[in-house]
């Protein structure tokens, strides 16, 4: 074994590890550290034996084992980050075009996603809970007369977003529209108010997917609750 000096401590690697890969990881690590210093969403926890990239923007928390991710990439070419969300392992795999990039580049992308508020279109499906939580914190959920969404609403919206991430684009739009119809019938909310509430979610979907659904809705009344 040999030790590689990094700004976060010594990284243990086997002798003969590719020097180019090590150099690429270290370059990415420097950028990662700089971005985290400027972020109010992330921190690097160095209290233990290894450094961790940790989210600090509320539950569910995300934790990335920085050195383990670097070691897996350098030693075995593993395209996954060593990551936990809400203390459970999550599979976050880079796209095929990014498989050979340093793991620290993927961590940089993760930091940027958090800094942008976890936009659902770009957040990995295994981290969709983070994107939905971010939307929950938006001011859109409480208007001037104090209307708020309920736990069941969040669960149904989260299901719709999970469907979208799974490639069921039309089904996702239909579920959101159905939620709007139910609010209109069961809660007697104004159509404009429902549109405003759902706009935050529809804006997270690709516009052409929403437009395709409008052209052939499952229920003709659905289009009343979709505002682009």
């Amino acid at each position: 074994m040999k030790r590689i000096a990094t700004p976060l401590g010594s990284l243990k690697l086997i002798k003969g590890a590719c020097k180019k890969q090590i150099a690429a990881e270290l370059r990415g690590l420097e950028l990662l550290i700089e971005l985290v210093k400027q972020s109010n969403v992330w921190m690097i926890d160095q209290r233990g034996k290894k450094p961790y990239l940790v989210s600090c923007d509320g539950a569910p928390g995300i934790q990335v084992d920085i050195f383990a991710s670097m070691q897996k990439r350098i030693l075995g070419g593993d395209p996954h980050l060593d990551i936990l969300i809400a203390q459970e392992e999550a599979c976050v795999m880079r796209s095929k075009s990014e498989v050979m990039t340093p793991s620290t580049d993927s961590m940089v992308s993760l930091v940027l996603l958090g800094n942008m508020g976890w936009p659902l279109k770009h957040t990995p499906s295994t981290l969709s809970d983070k994107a939905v939580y971010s939307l929950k914190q938006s001011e859109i959920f409480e208007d001037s007369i104090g209307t708020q969404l309920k736990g069941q609403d969040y669960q149904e919206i989260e299901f719709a977003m999970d469907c979208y991430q799974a490639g069921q684009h039309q089904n996702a739009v239909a579920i959101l529209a159905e939620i709007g119809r139910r609010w209109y019938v069961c809660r007697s909310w104004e159509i404009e108010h429902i549109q405003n509430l759902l706009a935050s979610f529809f804006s997270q979907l690709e516009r052409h997917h929403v437009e395709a659904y409008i052209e052939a809705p499952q229920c003709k009344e659905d289009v009343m609750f979709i505002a682009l």
Side-chain angles (χ1 to χ4, degrees):
M1 298 293 289
K2 65 177 180 178
R3 294 178 180 271
I4 304 296
T6 82
L8 300 180
S10 296
L11 173 65
K12 295 181 181 179
L13 295 172
I14 61 173
K15 293 181 179 180
C18 179
K19 293 182 179 180
K20 288 185 178 180
Q21 290 180 346
I22 294 172
E25 290 286 353
L26 293 178
R27 285 195 300 270
L29 184 61
E30 291 180 0
L31 176 58
L32 175 68
I33 293 170
E34 188 61 32
L35 286 174
V36 171
K37 286 180 179 178
Q38 302 171 15
S39 175
N40 60 0
V41 176
W42 298 94
M43 63 173 286
I44 293 179
D45 186 351
Q46 294 183 262
R47 293 173 296 179
K49 294 182 179 180
K50 295 191 294 183
Y52 287 86
L53 175 65
V54 180
S55 64
C56 47
D57 58 346
I62 291 178
Q63 177 178 295
V64 181
D65 188 327
I66 297 174
F67 280 0
S69 298
M70 293 172 68
Q71 289 167 336
K72 288 196 299 185
R73 175 64 190 90
I74 293 171
L75 301 178
D78 192 328
H80 297 83
L81 291 178
D82 195 301
I83 185 170
L84 299 177
I85 178 169
Q87 296 302 311
E88 294 186 2
E89 291 185 3
C91 176
V92 178
M93 185 173 177
R94 286 163 273 175
S95 65
K96 291 182 179 179
S97 62
E98 298 174 326
V99 164
M100 299 308 294
T101 61
S103 69
T104 46
D105 281 12
S106 296
M107 291 181 231
V108 165
S109 298
L110 192 65
V111 167
L112 294 176
L113 276 175
N115 290 347
M116 291 188 295
W118 303 102
L120 191 72
K121 286 189 293 185
H122 305 293
T123 300
S125 60
T126 47
L127 302 180
S128 62
D129 286 355
K130 196 69 177 175
V132 173
Y133 175 85
S134 179
L135 290 172
K136 290 180 185 178
Q137 308 313 305
S138 171
E139 293 180 359
I140 195 69
F141 293 101
E142 183 169 4
D143 65 10
S144 59
I145 61 173
T147 300
Q148 291 183 316
L149 302 189
K150 301 177 181 179
Q152 181 182 355
D153 297 323
Y154 292 133
Q155 292 174 4
E156 292 172 347
I157 291 168
E158 184 173 358
F159 177 67
M161 296 307 188
D162 285 344
C163 288
Y164 190 81
Q165 290 284 5
Q168 301 174 26
H169 304 134
Q170 298 302 289
N171 189 35
V173 178
I175 293 170
L176 290 175
E178 180 182 355
I179 292 170
R181 281 191 279 114
R182 187 169 62 255
W183 288 345
Y184 178 73
V185 174
C186 300
R187 301 185 191 177
S188 299
W189 289 354
E190 297 291 335
I191 290 178
E192 183 178 358
H193 175 57
I194 295 172
Q195 289 176 339
N196 290 335
L197 288 172
L198 292 178
S200 178
F201 301 105
F202 281 122
S203 67
Q204 299 293 312
L205 313 184
E206 295 287 351
R207 185 184 181 93
H208 66 93
H209 290 145
V210 181
E211 291 177 339
Y213 183 81
I214 291 175
E215 291 295 321
Q218 292 184 10
C219 178
K220 64 180 181 181
E221 287 80 11
D222 283 356
V223 297
M224 296 191 299
F225 307 103
I226 302 175
L228 296 177

